[in-house]
Amino acid sequence: MNICDKISKMIKGESEKERLYNILITDKYKESPYETMDLGEGMAIVNESMWGWWKPRYLLNHNTKSAYEFMDGSQKLVIVTEDDVDWESLKNLSKDAQEQAKRLSFHYPSFIRAFKNGVAEVSWQLNPDGRYYMDEDSFGMTNDEEIEIYGLIDQKAKVIVKFRNTQNFNELDEMRKMAEDIVKNKR
């Protein structure tokens, strides 16, 4: 986009996030291969069907009429960067799982959960359970164990608490409390 187009867009008062929002609320994104799911607190996710899985492509903030691309069509995270990962917590994971995180690959089943107190938990699967590879006749199953890391985002799709390998649900609860406190103090 050249400078004249940018100025024209700014004069019209519509930002890129607002323009994306206005596109994503059209009928095209309410039918296959898309679905829109309510996440509470005026937030929603536009999922896209890819290889038989619903993938979180866009985050909608109905409160601000803004949208954010969360994952691109190649199943790579757009919002999350390497700086949003607690690498120390991943050091005991397999090299393959660590590489999956470094590539910011959101290929395996991963989800943005409901918003509560301004934040949402994001589960990012770095390695699936061996059943993921199984066909309809139960062939192809491996002995792989599921590896999932968690982070929390705010309503502007910003990572508030870095993605990390958690040891238990108490740690995840602590991460949520930390994220809620950060968002509360920003208001």
Side-chain angles (χ1 to χ4, degrees):
M1 176 181 300
N2 66 37
I3 191 69
C4 293
D5 291 336
K6 287 182 181 180
I7 292 170
S8 175
K9 188 172 72 172
M10 288 169 58
I11 291 170
K12 292 178 186 174
E14 186 177 59
S15 73
E16 211 171 303
K17 292 174 186 125
E18 291 168 327
R19 190 169 46 136
L20 181 58
Y21 176 86
N22 288 327
I23 292 168
L24 292 171
I25 61 170
T26 63
D27 288 341
K28 176 184 176 183
Y29 291 92
K30 294 180 181 161
E31 54 191 49
S32 188
Y34 301 98
E35 71 170 3
T36 300
M37 291 180 52
D38 181 56
L39 296 178
E41 297 187 353
M43 301 297 294
I45 190 78
V46 175
N47 290 312
E48 182 176 349
S49 179
M50 296 179 176
W51 298 92
W53 297 95
W54 287 111
K55 302 298 223 151
R57 283 295 308 276
Y58 304 98
L59 186 66
L60 302 177
N61 185 327
H62 295 301
N63 304 312
T64 62
K65 308 286 188 242
S66 300
Y68 308 86
E69 184 178 25
F70 193 78
M71 179 192 79
D72 68 18
S74 299
Q75 300 181 49
K76 182 177 178 185
L77 291 167
V78 175
I79 296 292
V80 179
T81 69
E82 283 191 34
D83 291 337
D84 296 320
V85 177
D86 177 355
W87 294 103
E88 183 66 23
S89 75
L90 274 60
K91 70 180 182 183
N92 293 326
L93 298 181
S94 70
K95 293 276 187 226
D96 287 342
Q98 291 179 43
E99 283 302 313
Q100 190 80 351
K102 283 183 182 154
R103 287 191 307 271
L104 301 175
S105 175
F106 220 57
H107 175 76
Y108 300 118
S110 301
F111 307 94
I112 299 174
R113 309 286 185 208
F115 275 82
K116 181 180 174 192
N117 298 323
V119 299
E121 173 188 308
V122 179
S123 62
W124 177 4
Q125 195 173 100
L126 300 177
N127 193 69
D129 178 284
R131 291 175 290 180
Y132 176 85
Y133 302 103
M134 184 172 63
D135 67 14
E136 62 274 354
D137 295 323
S138 299
F139 291 105
M141 185 171 164
T142 68
N143 63 353
D144 284 333
E145 290 187 31
E146 184 175 296
I147 299 172
E148 202 164 34
I149 61 176
Y150 298 90
L152 287 113
I153 60 172
D154 67 9
Q155 292 184 348
K156 293 181 180 176
K158 298 284 185 206
V159 176
I160 299 298
V161 173
K162 289 184 177 191
F163 285 88
R164 67 174 74 150
N165 182 29
T166 58
Q167 302 305 310
N168 55 53
F169 288 112
N170 290 338
E171 189 175 346
L172 193 53
D173 290 341
E174 290 171 16
M175 290 169 61
R176 171 169 280 286
K177 182 174 177 2
M178 185 185 322
E180 289 175 2
D181 287 345
I182 290 168
V183 168
K184 182 180 174 183
N185 288 332
K186 283 185 177 180
R187 291 181 187 164

